[in-house]
Amino acid sequence: MDYELSHLKMLEAEAIHIIREVAAEFERPCLLFSGGKDSCVMLHVAMKAFWPAKPPFPIMHVDTGHNFDEVIAFRDQTVDRLGVRLIVASVQESIDAGRVVEETGPRASRNRLQTVTLLDAIEEHGFDAVFGGARRDEEKARAKERVYSFRDEFGQWDPKNQRPELWSLYNGRHRKGEHIRVFPLSNWTELDIWQYIETEQVLLPHIYYAHEREVFRRDGMLLALTPFIELLDDEELFTTTVRFRTIGDATCTGAVESSASTIEQVIAETAATRITERGATRADDRISEAGMEDRKREGYF
């Protein structure tokens, strides 16, 4: 067995252990699923953890309403193929109910609004553990997370009040109204994710691979033309070959110019890059040096 495969098997075994531990310890877990590569890998591992049975918890998509059509189609196909239960938490419904106020203007995004929608859904369904696909190599604030990340009764995170996890022992104790965010892929890297996708033949939305798309440049990023984006006067559309390294709200998720149309080519490209996928392609992470941490304190993913 080569080094890469044994390394991936160790990561997979750790993730399976964490997922099974949560299923045994908590009453109402839930797995967040966006259709992105990390959540696809996390769902794949969860399916293996309980095979031949289905995972004993639902999956939930926090839907901003400003998604790539390909991702929503992939989400629905995945649910049908695997036979899992899907819960959709809608940002549009939060707006209609007056829970959040939508931004306006050409730079408007619904990305920050997801926090309220997520916390409302957790409360509505009584979830006491929520699986997320975040990895520590993605961003500085996420590097501070434990595998079990405690959230108080307001859904908020305190980076200075983290529980020790010596010898991979996890403390899930919480009071009614509190919950734990659980990150089974914490110790994975972007390269690990892609190598696992290749080894396990995990299906992804095709926009992760090189394709032609109408894009424009804004703030050093390539954004795709969608019905949710308003061009500025000095912005011009052009068609080029791109792929997405991460998937989120279409208004703030950038593409990268790439000819990597196969998994092997994406792995080679990922191995050579020195910029994290969120740093290169997520406009919402460029608000400030502590932008992500501020959002996580409020209850963001």
Side-chain angles (χ1 to χ4, degrees):
M1 183 180 295
D2 60 24
Y3 171 78
E4 288 78 15
L5 185 58
S6 63
H7 173 63
L8 293 179
K9 285 298 182 184
M10 288 169 54
L11 290 173
E12 180 191 69
E14 178 188 50
I16 286 176
H17 167 69
I18 292 166
I19 291 170
R20 287 176 175 169
E21 190 77 7
V22 169
E25 187 176 354
F26 293 83
E27 293 184 6
R28 296 182 65 84
C30 176
L31 185 146
L32 294 177
F33 183 77
S34 66
K37 66 182 186 306
D38 300 314
S39 62
C40 286
V41 166
M42 183 170 61
L43 178 57
H44 180 85
V45 173
M47 294 295 293
K48 293 186 74 170
F50 302 101
W51 183 263
K54 306 292 185 187
F57 42 75
I59 69 173
M60 180 165 67
H61 179 215
V62 180
D63 181 3
T64 67
H66 289 174
N67 303 287
F68 295 102
D69 292 340
E70 300 93 330
V71 177
I72 295 299
F74 175 84
R75 179 200 70 185
D76 295 339
Q77 291 165 5
T78 300
V79 169
D80 290 342
R81 175 171 54 87
L82 299 180
V84 293
R85 177 188 168 207
L86 172 68
I87 296 171
V88 177
S90 170
V91 171
Q92 183 62 56
E93 291 181 5
S94 297
I95 294 170
D96 294 342
R99 292 284 294 147
V100 293
V101 177
E102 185 164 19
E103 299 175 7
T104 59
R107 296 181 181 274
S109 172
R110 290 184 174 184
N111 198 55
R112 290 181 66 92
L113 306 186
Q114 294 180 83
T115 299
V116 171
T117 304
L118 172 63
L119 294 178
D120 285 351
I122 290 172
E123 181 178 5
E124 176 186 352
H125 297 280
F127 294 133
D128 52 1
V130 180
F131 292 106
R135 310 183 323 268
R136 292 191 179 115
D137 74 323
E138 285 183 82
E139 198 274 339
K140 293 178 180 178
R142 286 182 166 166
K144 297 179 181 180
E145 289 276 22
R146 299 286 198 266
V147 173
Y148 274 30
S149 183
F150 173 76
R151 296 301 198 271
D152 65 19
E153 64 271 27
F154 302 105
Q156 296 180 332
W157 172 67
D158 181 0
K160 295 181 179 179
N161 185 24
Q162 297 268 341
R163 298 172 178 180
E165 294 179 342
L166 302 176
W167 305 292
S168 297
L169 297 176
Y170 307 113
N171 180 359
R173 297 177 68 178
H174 62 283
R175 300 186 184 91
K176 184 177 178 59
E178 301 170 342
H179 71 277
I180 303 292
R181 302 281 174 88
V182 184
F183 302 107
L185 308 183
S186 289
N187 294 324
W188 299 50
T189 65
E190 184 184 9
L191 184 58
D192 293 330
I193 291 290
W194 277 106
Q195 290 176 332
Y196 187 81
I197 289 167
E198 179 186 36
T199 301
E200 294 286 312
Q201 298 183 326
V202 179
L203 298 178
L204 298 179
H206 71 79
I207 64 175
Y208 272 110
Y209 304 100
H211 59 286
E212 283 196 347
R213 186 177 287 265
E214 276 194 302
V215 297
F216 62 95
R217 295 192 184 276
R218 176 180 293 177
D219 301 330
M221 291 173 41
L222 290 178
L223 293 177
L225 178 65
T226 67
F228 323 115
I229 289 184
E230 178 183 340
L231 292 179
L232 300 174
D233 292 339
D234 60 344
E235 293 173 340
E236 295 183 359
L237 285 173
F238 61 96
T239 301
T240 189
T241 303
V242 301
R243 72 177 186 89
F244 290 85
R245 290 178 64 188
T246 181
I247 290 176
D249 189 288
T251 61
C252 61
T253 301
V256 294
E257 291 189 273
S258 172
S259 59
S261 58
T262 67
I263 295 179
E264 294 80 8
Q265 291 171 339
V266 171
I267 288 174
E269 190 174 272
T270 302
T273 189
R274 290 295 177 265
I275 304 176
T276 66
E277 69 262 43
R278 293 193 68 94
T281 63
R282 291 296 288 269
D284 55 316
D285 287 346
R286 300 182 176 189
I287 298 170
S288 70
E289 188 71 19
M292 172 64 82
E293 182 165 325
D294 291 341
R295 292 198 301 277
K296 286 179 70 65
R297 286 175 180 269
E298 297 167 0
Y300 189 73
F301 306 118

